[in-house]
Amino acid sequence: MDATQLVKGVLDLAVLSVVAREDGYGYDVVRRLRAAGLEDVGDASVYGTLRRLYSAGALTSYVVPSDEGPHRKYYGINAQGREALASQGKTWAAFAQTMAGLLDEAGVKA
């Protein structure tokens, strides 16, 4: 199974989860997702997701000067983003439970 396609389907949820824990700039979010085990996540996909979630009103943003180059745009979660995170988290948990049951019935151990 192509993990890249799975990541695309849950990237909003993954990004919201990471930013809910701590605000971050684009590459920081990429790094934290990869450290969590989503090694196949692409830089452009995460940057696009951050911009889309911001445009949708789920994230706030602010600029922080950097001593090591250009200013960094940080993203933080807001109330609308937390609601989306909770809703999508419940959907994911139900889906994962269903898949685990189907795999168990098929004799596949995860």
Side-chain angles (χ1 to χ4, degrees):
M1 175 175 279
D2 183 7
T4 305
Q5 293 302 314
L6 290 172
V7 170
K8 284 182 184 177
V10 296
L11 192 54
D12 284 12
L13 179 59
V15 167
L16 287 170
S17 296
V18 166
V19 177
R21 195 172 31 219
E22 182 181 356
D23 293 359
Y25 56 93
Y27 187 70
D28 178 53
V29 173
V30 170
R31 182 187 54 75
R32 289 168 26 199
L33 288 169
R34 288 179 180 161
L38 298 178
E39 294 91 6
D40 294 332
V41 72
D43 296 13
S45 295
V46 173
Y47 282 93
T49 299
L50 286 166
R51 284 191 301 272
R52 191 171 33 72
L53 289 171
Y54 174 76
S55 294
L59 299 177
T60 60
S61 72
Y62 55 95
V63 176
V64 174
S66 173
D67 294 334
E68 302 172 3
H71 299 325
R72 292 185 173 147
K73 186 174 189 175
Y74 277 74
Y75 293 92
I77 197 166
N78 59 25
Q80 182 178 331
R82 289 192 189 283
E83 288 176 19
L85 176 59
S87 174
Q88 291 178 27
K90 287 177 185 173
T91 300
W92 172 256
F95 177 77
Q97 184 176 18
T98 298
M99 288 304 303
L102 288 170
L103 292 171
D104 189 46
E105 289 174 11
V108 176
K109 299 295 177 193

